[in-house]
Amino acid sequence: MAKAPIQVVWFKRDLRIHDHAPLAAAAAAGPVLPVFAIEPEQWQAPDSALRHWQFAADSLVDLSHALDTLNLPLCLWQGNIVELLAALKARYGDFVLHSHQETGNDWSFERDKSVHLWCRQNSIEWQEARQHGVIRGLTRRTGQQSRWEAHWETLMAAPTAPAPRNAQVAPGWEHFHHLPVEQLHNLALGFDTTPCPERQPGGRNAGRTLWRSFVTQRGRRYRGSLSKPLLAWEYGSRLSPHLAWGTLSMREVVQSLRRQREKHTDDSQWSRSLRAFTSRLYWHCHFIQKLESEPSMASQTLHPALRGLRERDPGHPNLIAWKQGQTGVPLVDACMRSLIATGWLNFRMRAMLISHATFGLGLHWYEPAQHLARLFTDFEPGIHYPQVQMQAGATGTNALRVYNPIKQAEDNDPSGEFVARWVPELAPLPFEWRTKPWALPESLRKRFGFQPGEHYPLPHDFEAEARHWKKMLYELRRTPDAREASQAIVDKLASQRRPSAKRAKKAKPANRQQLSLFDDGGLDNA
């Protein structure tokens, strides 16, 4: 009987052993060699940061311990993955490579192309499994949405892959294990090193604890807390970094969620919240499909008529103030400062940050997108870049969503508690003045010892700036060529889902088919 070839399991953003189809397939086929490549180019990319690595390192330590229970090592290779594959080929001859498909940033797209080329040139079989509802090679959504939804439902309903038993380890694995897991947190990889003192811990154990607390306690108030930054931190799932790094699988979360919904059919608040969360899981994959189908969205404005509209200037004073939480707009600054410290922010406030940067400050979307990517511990490229472009009005297909930060503060931080926590300069002011301290009457300025422009910056005229950009974008979108390009984008990327009766009634007839192109979904923040 011929000897089975070595089965190499390449872990990427799937740092778990449960419901890991590549690991299960490899263990059933022959001796297993689990590997993770710490690739310097990945961590030096403009959207990578220390907080990402720290979360990944936590998760790799957990993964290593989990593999120990299967009598398998986690072989850590510091260097390019193609170099590792070449070394494996030199030692073992032919082998089979197993991994999950990945939809990532420009760097990961190019990395995977290099791996495909190397495997083809060296006659190495590469088996890739789906872990999200993304269909590789899908170039058009028009007429395909029902198929896409069916694929998503089929994948989510399929049995989860159990952790393998009696797996055989590949001989000589020690040659490819150059780094003890205890050293992971101390690596100098050349990335952005902005500290994140209140970041969420990584690892499957932390993810499972977080999930249990959500589905048994915190999640009941989920639906009514999404837009409010303080409440969302407490009652949101905050599962997004664990899905981004794959310490939990999308499928196991969906199936667990559906079981919980059956338990709470008599509790309307639980039912509504769990139903809302389920829709977020669907939109998570829906957004990643967009970047899979149009990878250029990570670096180029989607709509051709809107390219070059705003100048890219990394040193623009408005950009620097926005990045530092010093714009003079309290809710904007509070959101940015909290994000720097915690690595997490709820969806509505994320949208407002981009809206303010691009409409209120007139900035190009790219530099703000890179900055936020570095701050989000849960950075998921397939959600991040489509959402950023949508909020910046760069897609040219949907209604412009310009968030007024004063109204957002009044609606979602009416007591001013969130602003007072993160912008302590404003904490002494009465809460009704924390939304617009520049308008504080002279008598109150003396009473509270607060002088706008001295103790806290005066803001840019963001309302006039936003009106200017809204007018310009709408005018550019009205030309025949722009309309034709918009329709092409809709055909390629829109979900084409039928809008709800309430939304359809509000929509203009010409825009109804486009309503679901970029919905309020995604789990970048849930």
Side-chain angles (χ1 to χ4, degrees):
M1 178 187 263
K3 192 174 181 180
I6 299 300
Q7 310 292 311
V8 177
V9 180
W10 176 21
F11 285 92
K12 295 193 282 184
R13 292 170 71 95
D14 51 359
L15 305 182
R16 62 182 185 274
I17 64 172
H18 180 73
D19 197 28
H20 197 290
L23 177 62
V32 178
L33 183 65
V35 302
F36 181 87
I38 305 166
E39 303 184 75
E41 289 183 358
Q42 176 182 4
W43 298 104
Q44 292 163 15
D47 51 13
S48 292
L50 173 64
R51 62 192 63 194
H52 301 158
W53 172 247
Q54 289 175 329
F55 190 94
D58 291 347
S59 303
L60 286 166
V61 172
D62 254 22
L63 174 62
S64 177
H65 294 330
L67 286 168
D68 284 344
T69 67
L70 306 179
N71 295 316
L72 292 174
L74 176 60
C75 298
L76 298 166
W77 173 274
Q78 191 168 0
N80 186 281
I81 183 63
V82 173
E83 296 172 354
L84 170 58
L85 297 177
L88 292 170
K89 173 78 171 177
R91 179 168 185 83
Y92 294 114
D94 290 342
F95 61 87
V96 179
L97 180 63
H98 300 262
S99 75
H100 277 116
Q101 293 177 355
E102 180 180 359
T103 301
N105 56 12
D106 290 340
W107 174 85
S108 68
F109 271 109
E110 294 303 318
R111 185 270 317 272
D112 283 1
K113 288 179 184 177
S114 298
V115 172
H116 273 291
L117 177 61
W118 185 89
C119 288
R120 186 167 63 249
Q121 291 175 340
N122 290 274
S123 301
I124 294 295
E125 180 183 359
W126 184 9
Q127 297 182 11
E128 290 186 279
R130 294 169 64 202
Q131 67 169 339
H132 295 139
V134 174
I135 301 175
R136 181 146 289 178
L138 182 66
T139 59
R140 185 179 178 86
R141 293 291 284 274
T142 299
Q144 299 292 320
Q145 183 59 21
S146 60
R147 172 173 170 254
W148 192 90
E149 291 177 359
H151 273 275
W152 191 87
E153 289 292 346
T154 299
L155 182 67
M156 295 304 135
T160 56
R165 296 180 180 179
N166 304 317
Q168 180 183 355
V169 65
W173 62 267
E174 299 90 348
H175 294 281
F176 305 99
H177 190 199
H178 294 172
L179 185 69
V181 293
E182 293 79 11
Q183 297 181 13
L184 286 173
H185 287 89
N186 299 320
L187 291 183
L189 296 173
F191 37 48
D192 176 279
T193 56
T194 302
C196 188
E198 299 180 41
R199 74 168 177 89
Q200 292 181 232
R204 181 171 174 82
N205 290 331
R208 284 174 58 84
T209 298
L210 197 64
W211 177 241
R212 282 194 296 267
S213 74
F214 177 75
V215 294
T216 59
Q217 300 173 31
R218 298 184 297 111
R220 191 169 188 269
R221 293 184 59 181
Y222 169 81
R223 186 172 178 269
S225 305
L226 275 177
S227 298
K228 298 170 173 54
L230 282 178
L231 293 181
W233 175 266
E234 183 174 357
Y235 300 113
S237 78
R238 283 183 283 114
L239 208 64
S240 45
H242 294 280
L243 290 174
W245 283 98
T247 61
L248 301 176
S249 80
M250 172 65 70
R251 177 163 48 202
E252 68 174 310
V253 171
V254 170
Q255 293 184 6
S256 172
L257 184 62
R258 287 175 172 170
R259 289 192 296 270
Q260 291 298 321
R261 286 179 64 182
E262 292 176 358
K263 296 179 181 178
H264 295 297
T265 54
D266 296 332
D267 188 322
S268 61
Q269 187 172 3
W270 261 116
S271 295
R272 286 194 298 269
S273 287
L274 294 179
R275 186 164 56 249
F277 189 75
T278 302
S279 72
R280 291 280 169 141
L281 296 174
Y282 171 88
W283 287 108
H284 169 283
C285 299
H286 165 77
F287 272 85
I288 295 176
Q289 181 69 64
K290 295 181 186 300
L291 189 62
E292 175 71 29
S293 299
E294 189 56 71
S296 67
M297 290 183 76
S299 55
Q300 178 177 260
T301 297
L302 180 62
H303 199 290
L306 305 180
R307 293 171 190 162
L309 180 62
R310 300 174 174 114
E311 293 297 323
R312 287 177 54 179
D313 181 4
H316 196 291
N318 286 350
L319 176 64
I320 293 172
W322 179 83
K323 290 166 67 173
Q324 293 177 346
Q326 292 287 345
T327 66
V329 182
L331 186 60
V332 171
D333 293 342
C335 286
M336 185 62 75
R337 297 183 197 185
S338 73
L339 184 54
I340 291 170
T342 68
W344 188 92
L345 190 66
N346 62 315
F347 174 80
R348 178 60 64 87
M349 297 301 103
R350 296 183 189 213
M352 186 200 64
L353 282 177
I354 282 291
S355 171
H356 190 75
T358 55
F359 286 96
L361 299 175
L363 302 171
H364 191 281
W365 63 267
Y366 181 78
E367 276 75 22
Q370 298 303 302
H371 180 69
L372 291 180
R374 292 189 293 270
L375 293 183
F376 293 151
T377 306
D378 57 12
F379 170 53
E380 176 64 72
I383 296 173
H384 184 72
Y385 291 110
Q387 283 280 6
V388 165
Q389 290 219 34
M390 184 273 287
Q391 300 297 344
T395 66
T397 57
N398 51 282
L400 299 178
R401 298 177 179 178
V402 182
Y403 292 82
N404 185 317
I406 297 176
K407 184 178 187 303
Q408 290 301 313
E410 292 170 347
D411 291 347
N412 298 308
D413 186 34
S415 68
E417 183 180 351
F418 180 75
V419 165
R421 176 178 176 184
W422 294 106
V423 188
E425 308 96 298
L426 304 179
L429 301 183
F431 68 85
E432 63 266 25
W433 293 109
R434 291 176 192 164
T435 60
K436 43 186 178 181
W438 58 86
L440 188 70
E442 187 65 35
S443 60
L444 294 182
R445 295 182 187 188
K446 293 180 180 179
R447 180 188 302 177
F448 293 104
F450 178 86
Q451 186 64 39
E454 179 182 342
H455 300 106
Y456 183 64
L458 289 171
H460 182 75
D461 189 351
F462 58 89
E463 293 179 313
E465 188 84 34
R467 287 193 295 270
H468 164 74
W469 287 110
K470 284 179 69 175
K471 183 175 183 293
M472 180 174 288
L473 263 65
Y474 275 127
E475 288 176 351
L476 288 170
R477 288 166 49 164
R478 290 193 182 105
T479 67
D481 287 347
R483 288 179 181 273
E484 184 177 347
S486 296
Q487 188 58 53
I489 293 171
V490 168
D491 291 343
K492 184 174 186 177
L493 301 178
S495 71
Q496 298 293 310
R497 275 189 144 191
R498 186 186 302 277
S500 68
K502 182 178 180 181
R503 293 181 67 189
K505 185 176 180 180
K506 290 183 178 180
K508 296 179 180 179
N511 291 332
R512 285 185 185 178
Q513 66 172 336
Q514 302 170 14
L515 283 175
S516 295
L517 177 58
F518 290 148
D519 208 320
D520 292 339
L523 199 74
D524 208 25
N525 59 318

